[in-house]
Amino acid sequence: MTQDVTRGFESPRDRLRAEGLRVTAPRLAALEWLADHPHSTAEQVAAGVRERLGAVSTQAVYDVLNTCTRASLIRRIEPAGHPARYETRTGDNHHHLVCRRCGRTEDVDCAVGAAPCLEPSNVDGFAVDEAEVVFWGLCPDCRYGGQPGSSHRPEVTRSAVRT
Amino acid sequence: MTQDVTRGFESPRDRLRAEGLRVTAPRLAALEWLADHPHSTAEQVAAGVRERLGAVSTQAVYDVLNTCTRASLIRRIEPAGHPARYETRTGDNHHHLVCRRCGRTEDVDCAVGAAPCLEPSNVDGFAVDEAEVVFWGLCPDCRYGGQPGSSHRPEVTRSAVRT
DNA sequence: TCACTTTCTTGACTGATTCCAGAAAACATG
DNA sequence: CATGTTTTCTGGAATCAGTCAAGAAAGTGA
């Protein structure tokens, strides 16, 4: 059982209802899967959903994920060079730690206090509504272990900025 | 001529040489284009390169961009949901302001002083080497103007936003 | 239960980018 | 300025993640 910020208050079913969304088996399965497996890719969610329900179309999964994202029931993060990942922890200002090599993603709470990095609220005429922070690096497995799974193409980013 | 941080010191030709890369027409054209049109997409770079050189394959452009990115001559940014963009300003820790709607991208210097948001250097066993910050919002055109859709041009940006 | 929506299925399709094999060009030499 | 390596470019096919479309199926309110 994951201890998620937004979980425990309401069941997936109630949360769907609260947003005026229909309660369907694929939606429940996807939300439940994500509650226990945060940062899953669409493909992983699809696998998890099929594990419980049997055949479910890929399109249905994307639809569920998009609908729930739009309703803020889940949050989508799209690390450059990796497929999108989803999580149920929404509404708080937390950021992510992503492995350049395998895409593994972990949560990082705001390092510099409450709302860091969200200084510029109206720069150059832009109406800024979100500050996204991604920490890039290598996860333990990719640092030490040799080949973690499939062949990931050589990562291109090597900026290594360390202000 | 744009006054870019990394430009003015060395010409594109010298910068290629300094990295041990061959000096080819497509590379020069791409680097020059980017110096004057920061945050261009691969497609825009291709168009700019073809403007000077005539026919150049798409693959050549991607190759040039990848090679130069790997050599840190340019930096690639990949805003979620938008094609990757490239810029010649490398080596300093500046971040980006991206329009949710049209993808227009602007530079933002660190808002919170020197090293904002780059607190965690070794979290959870990860070896963090870069903190990427993206401010999401709507650009002036998309806020007020109706349909920016078609006018999705290179959007020659005025860089160096000071906060 | 019935009608009315919304959602799911199937399958084709897109856009951005990469892979492949061979032709062409760059550049350190002789 | 020829020559031979080595690296890069061409052209086309392929991949990957994700979307679009039309009709069938299921959830919901009366």
Side-chain angles (χ1 to χ4, degrees):
Chain A
M1 255 6 92
T2 312
Q3 215 125 354
D4 209 2
V5 165
T6 49
R7 195 169 146 74
F9 296 142
E10 303 177 54
S11 66
R13 159 170 262 111
D14 290 338
R15 299 178 63 209
L16 283 169
R17 281 248 163 70
E19 291 296 329
L21 296 176
R22 295 197 170 169
V23 177
T24 68
R27 287 179 178 175
L28 288 177
L31 289 177
E32 271 157 21
W33 172 267
L34 279 176
D36 290 332
H37 305 82
H39 309 129
S40 293
T41 62
E43 194 183 357
Q44 288 164 346
V45 173
V49 168
R50 288 181 186 126
E51 201 173 275
R52 315 191 182 195
L53 305 181
V56 174
S57 71
T58 301
Q59 179 56 36
V61 174
Y62 275 107
D63 195 17
V64 165
L65 293 174
N66 284 334
T67 301
C68 291
T69 300
R70 219 172 291 124
S72 296
L73 289 183
I74 61 181
R75 184 176 166 201
R76 148 197 269 153
I77 51 191
E78 300 178 52
H82 298 278
R85 283 158 185 270
Y86 299 85
E87 64 185 357
T88 49
R89 185 175 165 188
T90 60
D92 65 334
N93 189 21
H94 79 274
H95 303 309
H96 295 100
L97 194 54
V98 181
C99 178
R100 287 214 142 87
R101 192 110 155 263
C102 70
R104 177 175 152 193
T105 303
E106 300 288 341
D107 284 339
V108 186
D109 288 312
C110 264
V112 203
C117 334
L118 194 57
E119 284 305 297
S121 59
N122 201 311
V123 186
D124 234 23
F126 275 65
V128 175
D129 59 69
E130 185 190 350
E132 179 188 12
V133 182
V134 175
F135 297 97
W136 291 97
L138 285 181
C139 72
D141 289 350
C142 290
R143 286 174 80 180
Y144 309 118
Q147 298 288 78
S150 54
S151 54
H152 276 283
R153 66 201 136 78
E155 283 311 327
V156 174
T157 340
R158 200 190 60 168
S159 329
V161 180
R162 238 188 112 31
T163 354
Chain B
M1 239 40 100
T2 312
Q3 211 119 2
D4 208 2
V5 165
T6 50
R7 193 167 147 75
F9 295 142
E10 305 176 52
S11 66
R13 160 171 263 110
D14 291 338
R15 299 178 63 209
L16 283 168
R17 281 246 164 71
E19 291 295 331
L21 296 176
R22 296 204 168 163
V23 177
T24 68
R27 287 179 178 176
L28 287 177
L31 288 176
E32 272 157 20
W33 172 268
L34 278 176
D36 290 332
H37 305 81
H39 310 128
S40 292
T41 61
E43 193 184 357
Q44 288 162 351
V45 173
V49 168
R50 288 181 185 125
E51 201 173 276
R52 319 195 177 194
L53 305 180
V56 174
S57 72
T58 301
Q59 178 56 36
V61 174
Y62 275 104
D63 196 16
V64 165
L65 293 174
N66 283 334
T67 301
C68 292
T69 301
R70 218 172 289 124
S72 296
L73 290 182
I74 61 180
R75 183 176 166 202
R76 148 196 268 155
I77 51 189
E78 301 178 53
H82 298 278
R85 283 157 186 270
Y86 300 85
E87 63 185 357
T88 50
R89 186 176 164 187
T90 61
D92 64 333
N93 189 21
H94 73 91
H95 303 309
H96 296 99
L97 194 53
V98 181
C99 177
R100 286 216 140 87
R101 193 111 155 259
C102 69
R104 176 174 154 194
T105 303
E106 301 286 345
D107 284 339
V108 187
D109 288 311
C110 264
V112 202
C117 334
L118 194 58
E119 284 306 298
S121 59
N122 199 313
V123 185
D124 244 15
F126 275 64
V128 175
D129 60 70
E130 186 190 349
E132 179 188 12
V133 183
V134 175
F135 297 97
W136 291 97
L138 286 181
C139 73
D141 289 350
C142 290
R143 285 174 79 181
Y144 309 119
Q147 304 284 68
S150 51
S151 63
H152 191 203
R153 289 177 302 93
E155 212 48 88
V156 178
T157 57
R158 200 164 315 165
S159 48
V161 177
R162 196 115 320 172
T163 30

